Amino acid sequence: MKQTLSPFILLLTLAACGGPSQDHAKTEEKKEAAATTGSAYTIDTTATSVQWRATHKGGFAPRFGDIKVAGGSLNVENGVLTGGSFEVNMNTLVTDPASVTEKDKKSTELDGHLKSPDFFNVAKYPNAKFVITGVAPYDSAKGKSLIPGATHLISGNLTLKDSTLNITFPAQIAVSENDVTASAKFVIDRTVWGINYKTEGSPENWMISKEVEIGFRLKAVK
Protein backbone atom coordinates (compact mmCIF):
# COMPACT_ATOMS: atom_id res chain seq x y z
CA MET A 1 0.00 0.00 0.00
CA LYS A 2 1.47 3.36 -0.99
CA GLN A 3 1.19 6.74 0.70
CA THR A 4 3.51 9.67 1.11
CA LEU A 5 5.27 11.52 4.01
CA SER A 6 8.02 13.80 4.97
CA PRO A 7 8.77 15.57 8.18
CA PHE A 8 11.65 17.68 8.55
CA ILE A 9 15.09 19.39 9.81
CA LEU A 10 16.84 20.71 10.23
CA LEU A 11 18.14 23.00 8.77
CA LEU A 12 18.43 26.05 6.31
CA THR A 13 18.02 27.23 2.63
CA LEU A 14 17.70 29.73 -0.22
CA ALA A 15 16.42 29.84 -3.73
CA ALA A 16 18.96 29.46 -6.50
CA CYS A 17 18.13 32.90 -7.81
CA GLY A 18 19.52 34.42 -4.63
CA GLY A 19 16.78 34.21 -2.03
CA PRO A 20 14.53 31.62 -0.42
CA SER A 21 11.03 30.93 -1.57
CA GLN A 22 8.13 32.36 0.38
CA ASP A 23 6.61 29.00 1.28
CA HIS A 24 7.09 29.36 5.00
CA ALA A 25 6.44 26.59 7.46
CA LYS A 26 3.70 27.62 9.88
CA THR A 27 5.44 28.27 13.20
CA GLU A 28 3.76 27.97 16.60
CA GLU A 29 4.49 27.15 20.22
CA LYS A 30 5.78 23.68 21.15
CA LYS A 31 3.09 20.96 21.13
CA GLU A 32 2.66 17.48 22.58
CA ALA A 33 4.34 14.72 20.59
CA ALA A 34 2.10 12.33 18.65
CA ALA A 35 1.58 8.91 20.20
CA THR A 36 3.98 6.42 18.61
CA THR A 37 1.46 3.68 17.77
CA GLY A 38 1.98 0.89 15.29
CA SER A 39 5.21 -0.59 13.95
CA ALA A 40 8.53 1.22 14.28
CA TYR A 41 10.66 1.85 11.18
CA THR A 42 14.30 2.76 11.81
CA ILE A 43 15.71 5.69 9.86
CA ASP A 44 18.38 4.63 7.38
CA THR A 45 21.00 7.33 7.92
CA THR A 46 22.90 6.32 4.77
CA ALA A 47 19.82 6.96 2.60
CA THR A 48 18.63 10.07 4.42
CA SER A 49 19.82 13.62 3.81
CA VAL A 50 19.02 17.17 4.91
CA GLN A 51 19.85 20.15 2.73
CA TRP A 52 19.99 23.83 3.68
CA ARG A 53 20.04 27.08 1.71
CA ALA A 54 20.49 30.68 2.79
CA THR A 55 21.89 33.92 1.42
CA HIS A 56 24.62 36.37 2.37
CA LYS A 57 25.38 39.96 1.38
CA GLY A 58 21.75 41.00 1.24
CA GLY A 59 20.76 38.10 -1.00
CA PHE A 60 23.56 38.31 -3.57
CA ALA A 61 25.58 35.36 -2.30
CA PRO A 62 23.60 32.12 -2.02
CA ARG A 63 24.95 29.54 0.40
CA PHE A 64 23.90 25.91 0.55
CA GLY A 65 25.02 22.58 1.88
CA ASP A 66 24.11 19.42 3.80
CA ILE A 67 23.73 18.04 7.32
CA LYS A 68 23.60 14.37 8.31
CA VAL A 69 20.83 12.70 10.25
CA ALA A 70 22.16 10.87 13.32
CA GLY A 71 19.21 8.51 13.81
CA GLY A 72 15.56 8.16 14.68
CA SER A 73 12.43 6.21 13.88
CA LEU A 74 8.96 6.54 12.35
CA ASN A 75 5.82 4.72 13.41
CA VAL A 76 3.26 3.31 10.97
CA GLU A 77 -0.14 1.80 11.75
CA ASN A 78 -2.43 0.35 9.07
CA GLY A 79 -0.28 1.86 6.34
CA VAL A 80 -0.44 5.37 7.84
CA LEU A 81 2.33 7.37 9.48
CA THR A 82 1.40 8.06 13.09
CA GLY A 83 4.49 9.62 14.65
CA GLY A 84 8.22 9.49 15.10
CA SER A 85 11.32 11.61 15.57
CA PHE A 86 14.88 12.05 14.36
CA GLU A 87 18.04 13.90 15.30
CA VAL A 88 20.42 15.86 13.11
CA ASN A 89 24.14 15.93 13.93
CA MET A 90 25.04 19.61 13.68
CA ASN A 91 28.76 18.77 13.72
CA THR A 92 28.29 17.31 10.22
CA LEU A 93 27.10 20.62 8.73
CA VAL A 94 29.03 21.36 5.55
CA THR A 95 28.84 24.10 2.94
CA ASP A 96 28.93 23.09 -0.70
CA PRO A 97 32.13 24.62 -2.19
CA ALA A 98 30.12 25.50 -5.30
CA SER A 99 28.15 28.03 -3.25
CA VAL A 100 31.24 30.02 -2.23
CA THR A 101 32.39 31.85 -5.33
CA GLU A 102 34.40 34.70 -3.78
CA LYS A 103 38.14 34.30 -4.40
CA ASP A 104 39.06 35.14 -0.81
CA LYS A 105 36.53 32.74 0.78
CA LYS A 106 36.59 29.01 1.50
CA SER A 107 33.62 26.79 2.24
CA THR A 108 35.44 25.29 5.22
CA GLU A 109 35.72 28.74 6.78
CA LEU A 110 31.95 29.14 6.58
CA ASP A 111 31.51 25.68 8.10
CA GLY A 112 33.50 26.77 11.12
CA HIS A 113 31.63 30.05 11.41
CA LEU A 114 28.22 28.38 11.31
CA LYS A 115 29.31 25.86 13.96
CA SER A 116 30.70 28.57 16.23
CA PRO A 117 28.81 30.40 19.04
CA ASP A 118 28.01 33.08 16.42
CA PHE A 119 25.35 30.71 15.04
CA PHE A 120 24.67 27.11 16.10
CA ASN A 121 27.31 26.68 18.83
CA VAL A 122 27.61 22.97 18.09
CA ALA A 123 30.08 22.41 20.93
CA LYS A 124 27.23 23.18 23.35
CA TYR A 125 24.29 22.08 21.16
CA PRO A 126 25.54 19.19 19.00
CA ASN A 127 22.11 17.99 17.86
CA ALA A 128 18.96 19.43 16.36
CA LYS A 129 15.78 17.40 16.76
CA PHE A 130 12.40 17.00 15.06
CA VAL A 131 9.49 15.26 16.81
CA ILE A 132 6.24 14.66 14.91
CA THR A 133 3.15 16.07 16.62
CA GLY A 134 0.58 15.54 13.87
CA VAL A 135 0.00 14.11 10.39
CA ALA A 136 -2.93 15.20 8.19
CA PRO A 137 -3.92 14.92 4.51
CA TYR A 138 -2.61 17.74 2.32
CA ASP A 139 -5.10 19.87 0.37
CA SER A 140 -3.31 21.64 -2.49
CA ALA A 141 -6.28 24.01 -2.85
CA LYS A 142 -5.47 25.52 0.55
CA GLY A 143 -1.80 26.24 -0.04
CA LYS A 144 1.21 25.65 -2.25
CA SER A 145 4.10 23.29 -1.73
CA LEU A 146 7.73 23.40 -2.81
CA ILE A 147 7.49 19.62 -3.16
CA PRO A 148 5.47 18.43 -6.20
CA GLY A 149 2.92 15.81 -5.30
CA ALA A 150 2.74 16.63 -1.61
CA THR A 151 0.35 14.26 0.14
CA HIS A 152 0.40 15.24 3.80
CA LEU A 153 0.83 18.12 6.21
CA ILE A 154 3.42 17.27 8.84
CA SER A 155 3.55 19.11 12.16
CA GLY A 156 6.41 18.70 14.59
CA ASN A 157 8.55 20.27 17.26
CA LEU A 158 11.85 21.51 15.83
CA THR A 159 14.61 22.08 18.38
CA LEU A 160 17.53 24.29 17.37
CA LYS A 161 20.04 25.10 20.10
CA ASP A 162 17.95 25.57 23.27
CA SER A 163 14.70 26.63 21.57
CA THR A 164 11.81 24.38 20.52
CA LEU A 165 8.95 25.53 18.27
CA ASN A 166 6.28 23.68 16.30
CA ILE A 167 6.33 23.87 12.50
CA THR A 168 3.86 22.62 9.87
CA PHE A 169 4.73 22.00 6.21
CA PRO A 170 3.61 19.92 3.19
CA ALA A 171 5.42 16.65 2.55
CA GLN A 172 5.30 13.69 0.24
CA ILE A 173 5.08 10.38 2.09
CA ALA A 174 5.18 6.85 0.74
CA VAL A 175 4.53 3.87 3.03
CA SER A 176 5.15 0.26 2.00
CA GLU A 177 5.44 -2.99 3.88
CA ASN A 178 9.19 -2.66 4.34
CA ASP A 179 9.99 1.04 4.30
CA VAL A 180 8.80 4.62 4.54
CA THR A 181 10.13 7.38 2.30
CA ALA A 182 9.49 11.06 2.70
CA SER A 183 10.55 14.35 1.17
CA ALA A 184 9.85 17.99 1.97
CA LYS A 185 11.09 21.50 1.37
CA PHE A 186 10.06 24.58 3.36
CA VAL A 187 11.29 27.90 4.72
CA ILE A 188 11.85 28.90 8.35
CA ASP A 189 12.90 32.16 10.00
CA ARG A 190 16.10 31.42 11.95
CA THR A 191 15.61 34.42 14.24
CA VAL A 192 12.51 32.98 15.95
CA TRP A 193 14.83 30.28 17.33
CA GLY A 194 17.13 33.03 18.56
CA ILE A 195 19.79 32.42 15.91
CA ASN A 196 21.26 35.85 15.20
CA TYR A 197 24.72 36.99 14.16
CA LYS A 198 26.05 39.57 16.61
CA THR A 199 22.85 41.42 17.62
CA GLU A 200 19.35 41.38 16.17
CA GLY A 201 18.96 44.33 13.81
CA SER A 202 22.70 44.87 13.40
CA PRO A 203 24.07 45.46 9.87
CA GLU A 204 26.01 42.18 10.11
CA ASN A 205 22.87 40.24 10.96
CA TRP A 206 20.84 42.04 8.29
CA MET A 207 23.31 40.96 5.59
CA ILE A 208 22.46 37.31 6.27
CA SER A 209 19.00 36.12 5.26
CA LYS A 210 16.61 35.44 8.11
CA GLU A 211 14.89 32.94 5.89
CA VAL A 212 16.46 29.54 5.54
CA GLU A 213 15.15 26.84 3.25
CA ILE A 214 15.28 23.29 4.53
CA GLY A 215 14.87 20.25 2.35
CA PHE A 216 15.08 16.61 3.24
CA ARG A 217 14.81 13.14 1.81
CA LEU A 218 14.11 10.53 4.43
CA LYS A 219 14.03 6.74 4.40
CA ALA A 220 13.10 4.45 7.29
CA VAL A 221 13.15 0.65 7.15
CA LYS A 222 11.20 -1.93 9.12
Side-chain angles (χ1 to χ4, degrees), residues 45-153:
T45 57
T46 63
T48 296
S49 62
V50 174
Q51 300 81 42
W52 60 268
R53 272 184 170 274
T55 54
H56 183 43
K57 297 183 179 179
F60 290 101
R63 302 286 193 244
F64 49 87
D66 301 276
I67 314 173
K68 293 182 179 180
V69 172
S73 63
L74 299 176
N75 283 73
V76 172
E77 188 170 37
N78 298 322
V80 177
L81 180 76
T82 59
S85 65
F86 59 90
E87 289 193 350
V88 175
N89 182 352
M90 296 303 295
N91 282 289
T92 66
L93 185 153
V94 294
T95 307
D96 190 325
S99 73
V100 182
T101 57
E102 299 91 333
K103 292 182 179 180
D104 60 336
K105 299 289 184 181
K106 295 181 179 179
S107 62
T108 52
E109 294 173 346
L110 180 56
D111 295 345
H113 195 198
L114 291 173
K115 294 176 185 178
S116 77
D118 284 340
F119 289 96
F120 292 104
N121 195 359
V122 300
K124 186 175 182 180
Y125 308 105
N127 295 309
K129 189 172 185 179
F130 184 80
V131 179
I132 296 174
T133 59
V135 182
Y138 174 66
D139 184 351
S140 60
K142 295 182 178 180
K144 62 178 181 177
S145 170
L146 290 173
I147 289 290
T151 57
H152 291 76
L153 277 178

Side-chain angles (χ1 to χ4, degrees), residues 177-199:
E177 177 63 27
N178 297 315
D179 61 36
V180 178
T181 59
S183 59
K185 189 181 290 186
F186 52 88
V187 176
I188 62 171
D189 179 347
R190 61 177 170 82
T191 64
V192 300
W193 279 267
I195 300 172
N196 293 292
Y197 179 45
K198 295 188 181 293
T199 59

Side-chain angles (χ1 to χ4, degrees), residues 8-50:
F8 191 103
I9 276 85
L10 210 52
L11 307 163
L12 318 134
T13 305
L14 289 170
C17 61
S21 95
Q22 297 303 306
D23 291 319
H24 290 78
K26 181 180 178 181
T27 304
E28 303 174 283
E29 293 299 311
K30 178 181 177 180
K31 297 183 178 181
E32 185 176 351
T36 52
T37 60
S39 301
Y41 289 63
T42 301
I43 289 178
D44 181 351
T45 57
T46 63
T48 296
S49 62
V50 174

